Amino acid sequence: MKFFIDTANLAHIKEAQDLGILDGVTTNPSLMAKEGIKGTDNILQHYKTICEIVPNGDISAEVLSTDFASMVEEGKKLASLHKNIVVKIPMIKDGIKAIKWFTDNGIKTNCTLVFSAGQAILAAKAGATYVSPFIGRIDDSGWDGTQLIGQIASIYATQGFETEILAASIRNANHIIQCAELGADVCTCPLDAILALLKHPLTDIGLAKFLEDAKKM
Ligand code: E4P
């Protein structure tokens, strides 16, 4: 399973990249706004900076328009920033048309805001490179988000779809573990969820004892 970081925070992206386990970055308009990135030029520059920090990973950049023609124009501009840009497109009717257009023109896409198996089937039919089911938001609404990952993985395997399942809206380390078990191809996580994978109290206790005993060696 690939690890993407889900943030527009450059310090967090650098920290994950320095760990040596990072395969890409996802952002969205809310994450960009959280970092105070405003105006088209600054937004495009921010994506370029992220591509420089993670030179070998796929970087999702989201379109802000919702009609086919504007999404294509906007996506072409985003894709021209760097070879690793993946155009992120919402799961709406014009979004499916745009994904098909980008697929036919050799540009990678990430179909975002996916909450059902039916939406995931459509994204795959259109040829999306990635499909992003938002598991944390499903949990927030009282349902089981990770169950959707297993359902999509089963459908894609049965049907031979090549679209990669990019588990998104990850809230904690357990989500990451469950996504790995259920067959997600990618997990996009905030930095704290990635770092939480490191933690186990017995590791801390064991290391303290080893270091103490090492003084007697
Ligand atoms: C995915 O690409 C989205 O940016 C993200 O995972 C949304 O997560 P949230 O539900 O924490 O906003």
Side-chain angles (χ1 to χ4, degrees):
M1 186 171 75
K2 289 187 267 189
F3 270 59
F4 288 2
I5 189 164
D6 191 29
T7 185
N9 181 291
L10 298 182
H12 286 193
I13 295 170
K14 278 183 195 139
E15 188 172 340
Q17 174 70 4
D18 286 349
L19 259 182
I21 51 88
L22 197 62
D23 300 298
V25 181
T26 52
T27 58
N28 64 42
S30 306
L31 294 171
M32 295 288 273
K34 193 173 160 192
E35 299 307 316
I37 316 297
K38 285 183 189 153
T40 309
D41 289 349
N42 290 333
I43 292 168
L44 298 181
Q45 182 51 51
H46 203 73
Y47 287 136
K48 279 191 196 172
T49 306
I50 293 173
C51 291
E52 283 159 17
I53 297 171
V54 186
N56 298 315
D58 278 352
I59 313 298
S60 285
E62 189 158 342
V63 298
L64 304 176
S65 34
T66 53
D67 67 278
F68 170 73
S70 309
M71 277 193 265
V72 166
E73 279 320 301
E74 207 184 329
K76 281 198 292 191
K77 199 176 284 178
L78 291 169
S80 71
L81 292 175
H82 193 278
K83 64 179 173 48
N84 294 346
I85 289 282
V86 175
V87 181
K88 198 174 181 187
I89 298 181
M91 165 46 74
I92 54 177
K93 196 196 274 184
D94 277 33
I96 290 298
K97 290 185 201 171
I99 289 168
K100 179 72 171 76
W101 188 91
F102 286 116
T103 304
D104 290 345
N105 286 276
I107 293 172
K108 287 185 177 181
T109 53
N110 173 359
C111 182
T112 190
L113 290 167
V114 166
F115 294 91
S116 75
Q119 291 177 325
I121 290 170
L122 267 184
K125 281 296 290 178
T129 314
Y130 297 106
V131 64
S132 288
F134 276 34
I135 67 171
R137 292 194 195 185
I138 295 174
D139 285 359
D140 294 345
S141 71
W143 297 88
D144 179 1
T146 51
Q147 186 259 345
L148 178 60
I149 300 296
Q151 190 182 19
I152 297 171
S154 161
I155 291 169
Y156 280 11
T158 303
Q159 298 296 331
F161 286 134
E162 290 176 4
T163 298
E164 293 189 47
I165 303 168
L166 196 172
S169 187
I170 296 289
R171 300 275 189 261
N172 52 51
N174 197 39
H175 271 160
I176 302 174
I177 295 163
Q178 286 182 277
C179 286
E181 279 182 332
L182 290 163
D185 299 288
V186 190
C187 218
T188 189
C189 325
L191 182 64
D192 60 353
I194 298 174
L195 296 180
L197 291 173
L198 287 165
K199 302 277 182 212
H200 197 288
L202 292 179
T203 303
D204 298 338
I205 292 166
L207 181 60
K209 178 82 173 111
F210 283 159
L211 293 176
E212 190 187 314
D213 289 345
K215 291 178 195 151
K216 303 173 201 161
M217 281 164 61

